[in-house]
Amino acid sequence: MNVGWIRHGNLSLKLLLVMGIVLFFVCNCSAKSQYSHKRVNDDYDSLPGVTMNVTDAEVVIDNGIVQITIANPEGHLMGVCYGGVNNILETPNKESNRGYWDVVWGTTNYYGTDWLLGSTFNVIVENEDQVEVSFSYKWDSTTWNTSNVWRIPANVDRRYIMLRGSSGFYTYMILEREEGVMPEANIFQIRTVYKLDQERFQYMAISDDRQRIMPSPKDRETGLPLAFKEAVLLTDPTNPNLRGEVDDKYQYSCDDKDNKVHGWISFDPQIGFWIITPSNEFRSAGPVKQDLTSHVGPTALAMFHSAHYAGYDVTMSFQEGEPWKKVFGPYYVYLNSASDYTDFHELWEDAKHQMKQETRSWPYEFPLSNDFPKSVERGFVYGRLQVHDRYRWKVVKSASHAWIGLAAPGVAGSWQTETKVYQFWTRADRNGGFMIKGIHEGVYNLFAWVPGFIGDYVYEEEITIAQGSVLKLGNLVYEPPRNGPTLWQIGYPDRTALEFYIPEPNSLFVNKLYTDSNVNRFRQYGLWERYAELYPDEDLIYTVGESDFHTDWFFAQVTRKEENNTYKPTTWQIVFTLEEVINSSNYTLRIALASATRAELQVRFNEPELSIPHFTTTVIGTDNAIARHGIHGIYRLYNVDVPSEWLCVGNNTLYLKQSRHDSPFFGVMYDYIRLEGPPRTI
Ligand SMILES: *[C@@H]1O[C@H](CO)[C@@H](O)[C@H](O)[C@H]1NC(C)=O
Ligand SMILES: *[C@@H]1O[C@H](CO)[C@@H](O)[C@H](O)[C@H]1NC(C)=O
Ligand SMILES: *[C@@H]1O[C@H](CO)[C@@H](O)[C@H](O)[C@H]1NC(C)=O
Ligand SMILES: *[C@@H]1O[C@H](CO)[C@@H](O)[C@H](O)[C@H]1NC(C)=O
């Protein structure tokens, strides 16, 4: 039985049932929540129950709306039957290559991918309202490395849940390392991959302003690979409208905080396939970690952990015997459909509506693993954050729209490379008021950063959350780094380079999706090469008081391409005038970097040839944001004492040299730079 239906929400679309015959009727979604399966109402009772059919090879789960077929006991998803289509996944692919979890990991003498194939199938619950099944694998010290694919040193439990009346299914995974048992391991990536029917799914949607008709895998094969294999110039695409465009999956990345719903639309029949991730708690490295979403395939990803835009700093490393357990998900794979006469954009609107519903009902009450705490087992923290920026204001101000979160204990800012423990983030209101809900039991630090201010906040005491804890923290005050009054500043401290000059792309390497978008221009391919075109003779010189960082500060300090295809270092200058220099004192230079890739930033005051620089960052960063069209990677703040002897009355020049030049992708992005005068009584 294939039953397709529209999710309708506020849209009042018509519900389409395909059961051999086509029936239409109107349904009001707001009256019925899809996951509150225990609710008794006529609507709900009239829906078919969830059924399961298990054979030696397959587990088939069906709720009359969606039917999924899972390999038994391996656990990969072989089929999704929906909307009158027998299988919306890419059936020419092997059964194991349509919907699967994988982990990229390594140890001293191994690096590779484990597809986490299960060896045991278990029914967790099976009734009309809900089926939950488990495909698990218990790590075994005698067999784990006997095949080409070494099994990750962890016990793996992958779950699927189907609810009555739900137009999709939920999935999650529990990874567990037993104490004292398992060898060391470095985990680089954890994700789920869905490969959809190539013939049907051609329209991809990530956000309101990022959606388009996509090329096919074949279009990439016939195209011209650019500076790295992921970026391809489409020279002979089947859809002639795409000719001359660049395709690169990294152009469709986003911050994890914004990655709540993305997916694909088929035009015939009109079907949407959506990955809805209602919480960021189980993803690595906090809210501004970036990752992939969907890309040519058609492929839809649910990313939980990766090195993207962060590099080796976020490797999840386990010592031999180190215990650990984490639940990834659940997230929702949501399907919707519309009749041919509906504008297909409604499917995106409806997916967003569904995302909001899923987000509101987080934490879900229905997942049955004891490792997934229900809302009553979780805690709650609230308070108000203020900022005291000395020399700028005498009074304490609200930390408006600050990002505030709980993460594993550590120094200020450690959350952005923390990968093993859940993180719970929220955004303060205008007055700095915040509430963090749904926190797992555990010991945390409270961290924050405030747009408009440099540095990282950490609350001095560790915070212990017990089941049902409600913790009132009251007024907290963040004192950002500050030694003296601002003499000059460049940029806006928000951990990105978005406010700086971002050039138009070379007209040969355009992604048309971003042509008319200022906020997305940084996602265009090849902007790193525009630097040498814009500054052909000498490097960038910024004159305080005359230059404007929106137009006169290139968004990344990249290397300069020579005619013989080598690259050389670049040295940027900041020219500033001091009317007086206070002897025997320290000024302070603050350099906040938004990104760094195998870069060394050297700082010299007034003496460009000084053999030992006044300050160097040493070699930092593997976040690769320049090549991956990110506008930020990992945030780093450098605070440099500047003895007055380095300065002079009148014109001064600050030389910023990025000395590492083996590649076009080595370099830094600045977030913000400031020179402070010496401390004085205020
Ligand atoms: C490339 O050109 C630059 C500047 O013209 C020169 O300094 C460098 O030695 C050349 N490199 C090679 C490998 O020819
Ligand atoms: C500061 O030091 C310079 C050089 O050491 C000296 O010429 C100057 O007179 C000093 N200024 C004051 C105000 O002490
Ligand atoms: C300036 O900073 C240096 C450390 O970088 C410190 O040793 C020195 O005492 C400071 N000087 C003053 C006058 O504060
Ligand atoms: C300082 O720099 C400005 C701008 O580059 C220039 O106009 C001025 O003549 C310079 N002053 C001195 C004393 O060198």
Side-chain angles (χ1 to χ4, degrees):
M1 177 171 65
N2 303 330
V3 182
W5 79 349
I6 294 176
R7 289 285 295 108
H8 17 71
N10 300 329
L11 305 171
S12 306
L13 293 184
K14 287 193 172 163
L15 193 71
L16 167 66
L17 284 167
V18 185
M19 301 174 66
I21 40 165
V22 178
L23 303 166
F24 289 92
F25 62 92
V26 175
C27 178
N28 178 1
C29 169
S30 50
K32 182 186 72 186
S33 137
Q34 293 216 337
Y35 36 79
S36 53
H37 52 291
K38 292 201 178 94
R39 179 146 144 199
V40 181
N41 66 36
D42 294 344
D43 251 14
Y44 183 75
D45 286 344
S46 68
L47 294 166
V50 190
T51 61
M52 179 165 63
N53 189 21
V54 180
T55 67
D56 284 349
E58 302 179 347
V59 176
V60 179
I61 310 173
D62 191 332
N63 66 2
I65 303 165
V66 180
Q67 183 191 79
I68 59 174
T69 303
I70 309 158
N72 183 8
E74 295 86 353
H76 45 259
L77 187 68
M78 305 192 293
V80 177
C81 172
Y82 174 76
V85 180
N86 195 37
N87 195 349
I88 63 169
L89 302 182
E90 176 69 351
T91 48
N93 283 7
K94 282 199 301 200
E95 288 175 343
S96 57
N97 186 23
R98 298 175 190 170
Y100 57 88
W101 291 78
D102 66 15
V103 170
V104 180
W105 77 282
T107 184
T108 322
N109 43 3
Y110 177 78
Y111 176 92
T113 301
D114 181 355
W115 283 270
L116 309 176
L117 300 185
S119 54
T120 306
F121 165 66
N122 276 307
V123 179
I124 306 297
V125 69
E126 180 184 8
N127 62 45
E128 287 203 318
D129 292 324
Q130 174 169 354
V131 167
E132 176 166 347
V133 292
S134 153
F135 299 86
S136 62
Y137 160 81
K138 192 155 170 44
W139 186 82
D140 180 341
S141 65
T142 61
T143 58
W144 72 292
N145 59 2
T146 51
S147 65
N148 287 335
V149 175
W150 289 23
R151 302 305 307 253
I152 180 166
N155 298 329
V156 178
D157 182 356
R158 275 170 309 153
R159 304 286 183 99
Y160 292 87
I161 300 172
M162 188 175 277
L163 302 182
R164 185 177 190 169
S166 162
S167 188
F169 60 93
Y170 297 85
T171 182
Y172 64 114
M173 171 170 73
I174 304 141
L175 282 184
E176 178 178 18
R177 286 175 52 91
E178 292 171 41
E179 181 151 19
V181 174
M182 292 168 180
E184 63 171 2
N186 294 316
I187 301 181
F188 304 105
Q189 180 166 284
I190 302 174
R191 62 175 191 175
T192 339
V193 183
Y194 296 94
K195 296 185 175 170
L196 306 180
D197 183 344
Q198 282 187 31
E199 299 300 318
R200 292 184 203 275
F201 290 90
Q202 281 153 18
Y203 190 86
M204 188 177 89
I206 292 165
S207 67
D208 286 337
D209 63 345
R210 299 172 71 195
Q211 32 183 292
R212 60 168 295 158
I213 299 269
M214 292 293 283
S216 69
K218 188 150 173 299
D219 295 342
R220 286 181 53 91
E221 282 164 28
T222 59
L224 185 70
L226 298 173
F228 39 86
K229 68 179 191 319
E230 291 88 349
V232 168
L233 183 65
L234 304 172
T235 50
D236 191 21
T238 31
N239 177 349
N241 294 332
L242 306 181
R243 180 169 298 130
E245 283 200 74
V246 171
D247 179 69
D248 179 352
K249 63 184 175 182
Y250 292 99
Q251 295 186 317
Y252 304 107
S253 298
C254 77
D255 281 8
D256 284 350
K257 65 181 163 56
D258 304 320
N259 184 350
K260 293 179 178 166
V261 55
H262 64 88
W264 291 83
I265 289 172
S266 146
F267 296 131
D268 182 21
Q270 287 201 21
I271 291 176
F273 177 98
W274 308 104
I275 307 284
I276 294 180
T277 313
S279 168
N280 209 32
E281 69 181 36
F282 40 76
R283 291 193 184 122
S284 289
V288 290
K289 169 77 169 65
Q290 295 155 94
D291 227 314
L292 296 168
T293 56
S294 284
H295 61 80
V296 168
T299 300
L301 303 173
M303 301 293 305
F304 301 99
H305 168 67
S306 81
H308 297 140
Y309 305 93
Y312 296 115
D313 293 326
V314 297
T315 301
M316 203 189 261
S317 292
F318 296 97
Q319 307 291 316
E320 184 178 348
E322 182 178 341
W324 176 68
K325 191 191 280 186
K326 194 168 181 182
V327 179
F328 297 90
Y331 66 93
Y332 189 34
V333 176
Y334 175 60
L335 297 150
N336 58 6
S337 62
S339 58
D340 293 342
Y341 52 78
T342 313
D343 177 359
F344 70 87
H345 295 99
E346 298 285 0
L347 293 173
W348 164 251
E349 293 300 324
D350 173 59
K352 276 198 305 182
H353 175 77
Q354 187 66 33
M355 177 274 286
K356 285 179 188 142
Q357 245 181 277
E358 300 295 324
T359 308
R360 272 197 300 273
S361 56
W362 187 267
Y364 296 139
E365 297 301 327
F366 54 81
L368 291 174
S369 166
N370 289 332
D371 296 314
F372 183 77
K374 307 296 172 287
S375 51
V376 293
E377 297 164 314
R378 295 178 177 226
F380 181 83
V381 170
Y382 67 105
R384 179 162 179 244
L385 185 66
Q386 298 173 307
V387 192
H388 183 210
D389 196 3
R390 295 179 306 130
Y391 295 97
R392 187 165 165 198
W393 301 310
K394 289 210 165 66
V395 295
V396 171
K397 300 236 177 180
S398 296
S400 298
H401 310 299
W403 283 93
I404 300 175
L406 295 185
V411 298
S414 55
W415 54 270
Q416 66 171 348
T417 53
E418 204 292 313
T419 58
K420 293 179 188 170
V421 176
Y422 303 92
Q423 297 197 19
F424 303 89
W425 285 85
T426 192
R427 202 148 188 202
D429 61 24
R430 259 190 93 235
N431 301 317
F434 66 88
M435 288 188 301
I436 306 176
K437 300 180 212 163
I439 309 161
H440 291 201
E441 269 186 274
V443 179
Y444 303 92
N445 269 141
L446 180 95
F447 298 101
W449 63 276
V450 192
F453 302 87
I454 57 172
D456 272 284
Y457 172 78
V458 60
Y459 181 63
E460 60 269 24
E461 288 167 39
E462 287 185 353
I463 288 180
T464 302
I465 301 290
Q467 293 207 356
S469 295
V470 174
L471 196 61
K472 178 182 171 180
L473 290 174
N475 279 336
L476 313 176
V477 179
Y478 172 49
E479 292 214 13
R482 171 71 83 174
N483 291 337
T486 299
L487 300 181
W488 51 262
Q489 57 189 336
I490 298 171
Y492 176 75
D494 64 351
R495 304 182 172 224
T496 82
L498 194 57
E499 70 274 33
F500 297 127
Y501 181 71
I502 300 170
E504 295 291 345
N506 183 318
S507 60
L508 298 175
F509 303 118
V510 169
N511 182 331
K512 284 187 196 149
L513 178 59
Y514 302 131
T515 308
D516 298 319
S517 167
N518 286 338
V519 291
N520 283 311
R521 192 184 302 145
F522 68 86
R523 303 182 193 280
Q524 294 281 13
Y525 172 86
L527 302 185
W528 54 87
E529 298 233 314
R530 301 298 325 274
Y531 174 74
E533 294 165 31
L534 288 160
Y535 298 90
D537 303 318
E538 60 178 355
D539 282 331
L540 183 153
I541 299 174
Y542 187 93
T543 305
V544 172
E546 289 175 20
S547 306
D548 176 353
F549 65 76
H550 297 99
T551 49
D552 303 326
W553 190 267
F554 199 76
F555 76 102
Q557 186 169 355
V558 290
T559 51
R560 173 187 293 280
K561 191 177 183 175
E562 298 285 337
E563 277 167 13
N564 55 14
N565 277 329
T566 60
Y567 294 86
K568 72 173 198 185
T570 51
T571 303
W572 289 9
Q573 298 175 42
I574 301 170
V575 178
F576 60 97
T577 307
L578 294 178
E579 279 168 12
E580 57 162 355
V581 173
I582 299 164
N583 282 356
S584 312
S585 67
N586 281 329
Y587 290 63
T588 307
L589 177 68
R590 313 271 182 198
I591 300 179
L593 295 181
S595 166
T597 302
R598 300 189 190 277
E600 177 181 355
L601 185 63
Q602 300 177 346
V603 176
R604 292 175 176 84
F605 283 87
N606 294 323
E607 293 178 83
E609 305 305 331
L610 199 64
S611 58
I612 298 173
H614 285 130
F615 173 80
T616 172
T617 60
T618 70
V619 179
I620 49 167
T622 51
D623 63 34
N624 217 14
I626 294 169
R628 296 323 193 190
H629 335 289
I631 196 65
H632 71 93
I634 286 183
Y635 177 76
R636 292 179 169 85
L637 176 64
Y638 295 93
N639 306 298
V640 183
D641 285 327
V642 180
S644 46
E645 301 86 78
W646 298 354
L647 303 169
C648 59
V649 174
N651 283 351
N652 291 262
T653 305
L654 170 57
Y655 296 90
L656 297 168
K657 178 175 184 178
Q658 200 298 94
S659 64
R660 303 260 305 172
H661 58 101
D662 300 342
S663 147
F665 308 120
F666 289 5
V668 297
M669 287 181 205
Y670 296 90
D671 168 35
Y672 174 77
I673 307 175
R674 176 167 84 208
L675 184 67
E676 293 168 16
R680 57 176 163 79
T681 325
I682 41 173

